[in-house]
Amino acid sequence: MSRPRCLPILEKLVAFDTVSRNPNRPLADWVEAYLRGLGVEVRRVPDETGDWVNLWATIGPADVPGYVLSGHTDVVPVDDQPWSSDPFRLRVEDGRAYGRGTTDMKGFDACVLAMVPAMLEKPLARPIHLALSYDEEVGCKGVRRLLAELDRLCPVRPAGVIVGEPTSMEVVIAHKGKESWRTTVTGTSAHSSLAPMAVNAVEWAAELVVAIRAIGRRLATEGPFDPLFDVPHSTAHVGQIHGGTTLNIVPELCWFDWEFRTLPAVDLPALVAEVKAHAFERLLPAMRKIARHVEIRFEQLTELPPVDIAPEHPLTTLTKALAGKNGHKKVAYGTEGGLFRRDGGIPAIVCGPGDIEQAHKPDEFVELSQLAACEAFLERLIAHCRA
Ligand SMILES: [Zn+2]
């Protein structure tokens, strides 16, 4: 195996501490300078502070549909993780490149950037667009801003987007959709000896938790099912609950965080509406019989639409040819692909170097053979775009 040509760039990218809470601007500045040095025009789509920046670049003709290569530039924190070397210094050892983000997903970003000179070598008949986002790890914030500007950045709708999240270069045609919510129940306080005269926020919240769990059970027993997913049905989950102060006070406040993760074919907003209907039509009227000024509030924390592309879609066929794979997979984790599909109207598929098992972990690494495979994939994409 030849040494992947992206390593010097990967070393650069890893050295920027782009944990989502930190501005990614220094990295974006570096990438912009690199691309401009090659003669590529770069468009910045910053947030309102200017410190977090998406980058968009088009190589090739802008007046025909092309392909978007999508990567995020932020990484998850290393706090309290036992790393055996500096996570922001690339360490290449035993056929692996170690460092925060090497798998998720600066490895892909580096491969794409390293292949830009090859894209420029001869004219492309169809363009390749580079989309590098910020804040993917905290709710895909950056790419939403990028997609809001898509008409300006890219007047001709691309034929597809390849999201380079780690799939071990397997072709991933679907992932689930997700919505997460915080529900806050406000009751009334009283001494616990007077419990029936107060609205116990913890107990009413618990009733709603049970209702969510019942929906989860129904999804698990009645489906729909898709055996290509690890968990072959949609799921409901409550992850955190807080309420009350001490045993002899009826708690006035309780909040809990919960989520649905649904198969692409399932109507996710309808499930959320079912929870809200239970809260507002069944629980709240009963609570108000005890006290008037009580309430249940819902606040959406995140939402991410599914990726779902047909096995026979031209983008699927192309991606399989580029990756040298016959089969396809469906995965449990979410990507920006769902937003490209829903908000950008662009068919989306996921294929990138590295194993998702390594993502977010201490001593995160990517196999050099994965980076080389990704570079070969991109070389074939360039050839396809020349023809
Ligand atoms: Zn990622």
Side-chain angles (χ1 to χ4, degrees), residues 4-324:
R5 67 182 92 169
C6 69
L7 284 180
I9 294 178
L10 183 57
E11 185 172 22
K12 265 284 175 202
L13 298 184
V14 166
F16 292 104
D17 176 357
T18 51
V19 170
S20 313
R21 64 180 175 243
N22 300 332
N24 76 332
R25 196 167 87 181
L27 180 148
D29 288 346
W30 184 86
V31 171
E32 184 176 344
Y34 165 80
L35 289 172
R36 283 194 194 283
L38 295 169
V40 175
E41 194 201 332
V42 182
R43 319 275 285 273
R44 293 168 82 96
V45 182
D47 76 341
E48 55 284 332
T49 68
D51 285 337
W52 281 265
V53 185
N54 299 295
L55 295 179
W56 177 274
T58 297
I59 295 145
D63 55 351
V64 286
Y67 298 96
V68 184
L69 297 172
S70 153
H72 61 80
T73 61
D74 59 318
V75 295
V76 294
V78 296
D79 309 337
D80 303 323
Q81 287 188 340
W83 282 74
S84 33
S85 60
D86 182 350
F88 299 105
R89 239 181 103 176
L90 192 74
R91 176 166 62 93
V92 180
E93 210 176 282
D94 301 330
R96 294 170 169 181
Y98 291 87
R100 172 52 88 223
T102 47
T103 275
D104 186 13
M105 60 182 286
K106 288 177 172 175
F108 176 78
D109 298 343
C111 287
V112 170
L113 292 171
M115 295 306 289
V116 171
M119 297 175 197
L120 294 165
E121 237 164 53
K122 283 185 251 162
L124 298 176
R126 275 169 281 191
I128 296 174
H129 309 280
L130 275 44
L132 294 176
S133 69
Y134 64 88
D135 278 3
E136 188 272 347
E137 298 287 3
V138 288
C140 295
K141 280 196 224 155
V143 75
R144 292 174 205 264
R145 208 172 262 268
L146 188 79
L147 288 169
E149 300 279 320
L150 191 65
D151 289 340
R152 183 175 65 81
L153 298 166
C154 188
V156 177
R157 192 97 335 173
V161 55
I162 299 167
V163 181
E165 289 280 356
T167 67
S168 303
M169 294 309 292
E170 299 285 342
V171 177
V172 167
I173 62 167
H175 63 65
K176 289 178 180 177
K178 176 188 167 185
E179 282 194 29
S180 64
W181 290 80
R182 173 163 296 176
T183 299
T184 305
V185 177
T186 308
T188 54
S189 185
H191 189 276
S192 60
S193 62
L194 304 172
M197 281 126 97
V199 178
N200 186 318
V202 166
E203 292 180 4
W204 288 100
E207 295 223 15
L208 197 51
V209 169
V210 169
I212 292 168
R213 185 162 161 71
I215 295 173
R217 275 214 193 88
R218 187 184 76 211
L219 293 166
T221 52
E222 293 171 21
F225 299 100
D226 184 339
L228 277 186
F229 285 99
D230 284 350
V231 178
H233 52 80
S234 305
T235 54
H237 160 78
V238 178
Q240 207 182 162
I241 186 162
H242 290 266
T245 48
T246 184
L247 180 60
N248 63 5
I249 298 175
V250 176
E252 189 180 1
L253 200 71
C254 182
W255 61 262
F256 61 96
D257 292 348
W258 54 282
E259 66 175 26
F260 284 126
R261 289 175 187 261
T262 50
L263 298 181
V266 168
D267 187 350
L268 177 46
L271 292 176
V272 173
E274 194 180 331
V275 175
K276 288 185 177 174
H278 190 84
F280 295 136
E281 289 162 27
R282 302 182 65 150
L283 304 185
L284 198 56
M287 290 161 64
R288 291 211 161 129
K289 280 188 184 151
I290 307 166
R292 280 181 56 82
H293 301 293
V294 294
E295 61 173 8
I296 303 177
R297 273 185 297 118
F298 288 84
E299 174 199 348
Q300 191 178 63
L301 301 176
T302 58
E303 64 91 29
L304 194 62
V307 159
D308 186 25
I309 190 165
E312 56 281 352
H313 191 283
L315 182 63
T316 310
T317 311
L318 172 67
T319 309
K320 284 180 179 177
L322 300 178

